[in-house]
Amino acid sequence: MITGGDGRALAPLARIAAGLADLRGWRRWLAVLLLGALAATAQPPVHALPVLIVSFSGLSILLAGAQTGRRAFADGWLFGAGYFAAGLYWIANAFLVDAARFAWMIPFAVVGLSLGLALFTGVAVWIVYRCRCRGVSDGLVLAAAWTVCEWLRGSVLTGFPWNPVGNVWIAFEPVLQGAAWVGVYGLSTLTVWAAAGFAQLAAPGTRAFARRWVAALAGSAVLAALAAAGTVRLSAAETGSVPGVKLRLVQANIDQRDKWRSDRRAENYAQQLEMSLQSPSGGITHVIWPETAAPFGVTTDPERRSLMREVVPPGGVLITGAPRYRFDAGRLVRIWNGLVAVDGSGAVTATYDKHHLVPFGEYVPFRDLLPLEKITAGAIDFSPGSGPVTLTVPGLPPFSPMICYEAIFPGEVVAPGERPAFLLQLTNDGWFGRSAGPYQHFASARLRAVEEGLPLVRSANTGISAIVDAYGRVTARLDLGRRGIIDGVLPQSLTERPLFAQIGNASGATLLLLLVIASLIFNRIKALDSKETI
């Protein structure tokens, strides 16, 4: 029981925390699942950032009641299951595009994926438990372990770094600027530290009132300092646009169920050609279509490709997503999810092939063992491209192309060597329907712009299409589910590369090391506190 003046001030919190930590059985399972699901509401499009305090402080308190490593792992696993199920529910929409064939897979896809990804959060909480047994457990350790496992989630088995906690700051641009220095994983570290720190207010003992609040607010103070630095960065932001370039982004808003129907392909193609010619053109120099907007092999079908010449501005190009095919003796042997640039003569001036493919969407992992179909059209798995590249086409500065969810991989969107002038993402979020998925996807793409110090041009079939500057600020946008075009200038890139663009995810690793050192120092102070009378 807490005693003393300072202790009495915090006694109500301590009683609540003790009740939470002592939960057992289904009540504990439900509590930790709900805490994880609540944390997901901080992600786009809800942006309920304060819930992170409840979720991660609650997780820390529950961990205090975990008496074994197995219990701690289970708590972390269930927390993660709630977080991913609530944040990735929209995956079910992809299986409803062809419901007759794939709807049966929804429970396996949503529940199975959530439970699988939650193994990483289970490991993170188990690490904290093991550190606690050695007297070095606090919010800093949870933040460090969480981020390490978040990085592993983005790397193991091709990786799936969707909704890292740092993405929540897309709603607050001053803190978002921190990604230029420490990347999204560094933002995750600081966010979990700040959110979990409030559990210190409910910790047992008679530690001085001031020390409790210092421990509770230390992470928040660092975030506040980061926000101040971000505000200064934005106040001195470089502005301007690339001279002589004006882009037209076409968002045809074609329903995914109609996109590949044989009786609709010609109509869909004609619609995008018509929108590309829509007046007033206003000096358009380049036209950009989204992922797989051309419903045929542009590089292998010169007859239909010739129609594109009519929409290519003088001296510019049309850039479109399109499948690329390879035939052998008239038989299709390979297919790529590609980007193709076509000039005014109808010639192909550049190509790029997606290298981060979606498991079960574009290929079936372990196909020899799993008798499953991929959910995209066609019987042949897509082949991966060679990796990030820098492309140059007539009239545009060099750019780094990304197709679909390649934009969620921090530190992997720019090729080594020549630095591009902007990021170009072609995507088809029509698979996600009207859900949180497109908003979360767009948030990740904006994070890449801040990390790399490069503007982002994003063309999406059903939205969200946008032009974003090198600070992650949206300069033009066409929202989800709307048909239309964006005519806009290309923002300039930063003259100097941000720290993250120079050293990649090592910036976040450096932050982690500093915080681990700080944790050791902090826990040395806690050891002195343990001598106080309880």
Side-chain angles (χ1 to χ4, degrees):
M1 178 178 177
I2 296 178
T3 59
D6 292 336
R8 281 193 297 273
L10 299 175
L13 287 177
R15 285 195 293 271
I16 294 172
L20 184 60
D22 288 342
L23 288 176
R24 293 292 182 269
W26 68 268
R27 293 179 176 82
R28 187 182 185 93
W29 301 342
L30 180 61
V32 74
L33 271 170
L34 291 177
L35 287 173
L38 185 65
T41 64
Q43 295 287 351
V46 180
H47 304 298
L49 270 65
V51 303
L52 294 176
I53 297 173
V54 177
S55 292
F56 282 100
S57 291
L59 179 62
S60 295
I61 291 168
L62 279 164
L63 179 59
Q67 298 177 350
T68 66
R70 180 180 297 179
R71 178 69 268 169
F73 175 84
D75 286 345
W77 184 49
L78 289 171
F79 183 93
Y83 179 76
F84 292 116
L88 299 175
Y89 73 91
W90 48 265
I91 288 176
N93 290 328
F95 296 88
L96 294 175
V97 171
D98 189 351
R101 295 170 60 196
F102 298 113
W104 66 271
M105 296 178 65
I106 290 176
F108 301 96
V110 177
V111 178
L113 179 63
S114 299
L115 293 176
L117 295 175
L119 293 173
F120 293 98
T121 60
V123 170
V125 175
W126 177 84
I127 291 172
V128 179
Y129 171 82
R130 298 303 301 171
C131 291
R132 186 192 72 184
C133 293
R134 291 166 173 76
V136 292
S137 175
D138 53 48
L140 281 170
V141 176
L142 177 59
W146 180 278
T147 307
V148 168
C149 291
E150 203 169 67
W151 174 80
L152 287 172
R153 173 166 65 86
S155 306
V156 174
L157 296 176
T158 76
F160 189 67
W162 199 283
N163 279 358
V165 170
N167 269 23
V168 302
W169 294 109
I170 204 70
F172 189 56
E173 289 177 349
V175 175
L176 182 65
Q177 302 310 303
W181 303 306
V182 297
V184 70
Y185 292 137
L187 290 181
S188 291
T189 303
L190 296 175
T191 304
V192 174
W193 177 26
F198 286 87
Q200 295 290 332
L201 297 178
T206 57
R207 185 190 306 174
F209 188 76
R211 286 188 181 179
R212 286 181 180 274
W213 279 101
V214 168
L217 297 179
S220 298
V222 174
L223 273 179
L226 189 66
T231 299
V232 172
R233 186 174 193 257
L234 289 173
S235 68
E238 303 173 22
T239 58
S241 58
V242 176
V245 174
K246 189 170 184 181
L247 308 173
R248 169 162 289 182
L249 281 57
V250 176
Q251 183 170 302
N253 195 33
I254 299 170
D255 189 278
Q256 190 60 36
R257 293 174 179 83
D258 298 329
K259 188 172 177 60
W260 292 101
R261 282 174 47 182
S262 59
D263 62 333
R264 293 291 300 272
R265 292 188 191 183
E267 178 184 339
N268 295 340
Y269 184 38
Q271 177 179 314
Q272 291 174 120
L273 291 169
E274 178 185 351
M275 294 177 67
S276 301
L277 291 170
Q278 183 176 319
S279 296
S281 63
I284 299 300
T285 61
H286 297 81
V287 177
I288 301 175
W289 292 359
E291 178 187 11
T292 59
F296 61 93
V298 174
T299 58
T300 53
D301 192 337
E303 181 177 349
R304 281 189 283 186
R305 185 175 74 232
S306 66
L307 297 176
M308 294 179 170
R309 295 180 300 174
E310 303 301 322
V311 306
V312 177
V317 295
L318 164 65
I319 298 175
T320 181
R324 292 204 319 113
Y325 302 112
R326 177 180 295 173
F327 295 90
D328 184 6
R331 185 174 64 90
L332 178 63
V333 293
R334 296 191 72 181
I335 181 172
W336 294 267
N337 187 352
L339 170 153
V340 181
V342 178
D343 66 15
S345 69
V348 174
T349 63
T351 62
Y352 164 76
D353 297 319
K354 182 179 180 181
H355 62 279
H356 267 301
L357 300 178
V358 180
F360 301 101
E362 293 169 311
Y363 75 102
V364 177
F366 312 109
R367 176 169 283 283
D368 292 340
L369 301 176
L370 298 176
L372 300 173
E373 300 177 85
K374 63 183 177 71
I375 64 173
T376 52
I380 298 177
D381 284 350
F382 282 88
S383 297
S386 58
V389 299
T390 299
L391 294 183
T392 301
V393 301
L396 277 180
F399 64 92
S400 181
M402 305 177 291
I403 296 179
C404 192
Y405 97 139
E406 288 182 323
I408 71 173
F409 292 87
E412 299 182 35
V413 297
V414 174
E418 179 187 8
R419 186 178 185 229
F422 70 102
L423 304 173
L424 174 63
Q425 184 192 18
L426 308 185
T427 187
N428 176 25
D429 289 0
W431 288 100
F432 305 158
R434 289 177 173 266
S435 68
Y439 296 95
Q440 296 169 2
H441 197 192
F442 182 40
S444 286
R446 287 177 62 190
L447 258 296
R448 304 294 85 78
V450 180
E451 289 170 344
E452 301 294 341
L454 298 173
L456 165 74
V457 177
R458 187 176 198 263
S459 181
N461 170 38
T462 57
I464 304 166
S465 297
I467 299 175
V468 178
D469 72 8
Y471 299 90
R473 299 175 298 188
V474 178
T475 63
R477 170 174 173 151
L478 193 57
D479 281 327
L480 184 64
R482 292 184 57 192
R483 179 188 177 198
I485 59 173
I486 293 176
D487 291 347
V489 297
L490 175 63
Q492 290 181 333
S493 61
L494 301 190
T495 54
E496 295 185 7
R497 292 192 302 166
L499 177 63
F500 182 89
Q502 298 178 47
I503 63 176
N505 288 314
S507 62
T510 302
L511 174 65
L512 274 177
L513 178 61
L514 293 174
L515 291 184
V516 168
I517 294 172
S519 177
L520 294 174
I521 295 173
F522 178 70
N523 280 284
R524 176 60 179 167
I525 296 173
K526 286 176 64 178
L528 297 176
D529 282 348
S530 66
K531 297 179 180 179
E532 296 181 10
T533 303
I534 299 179

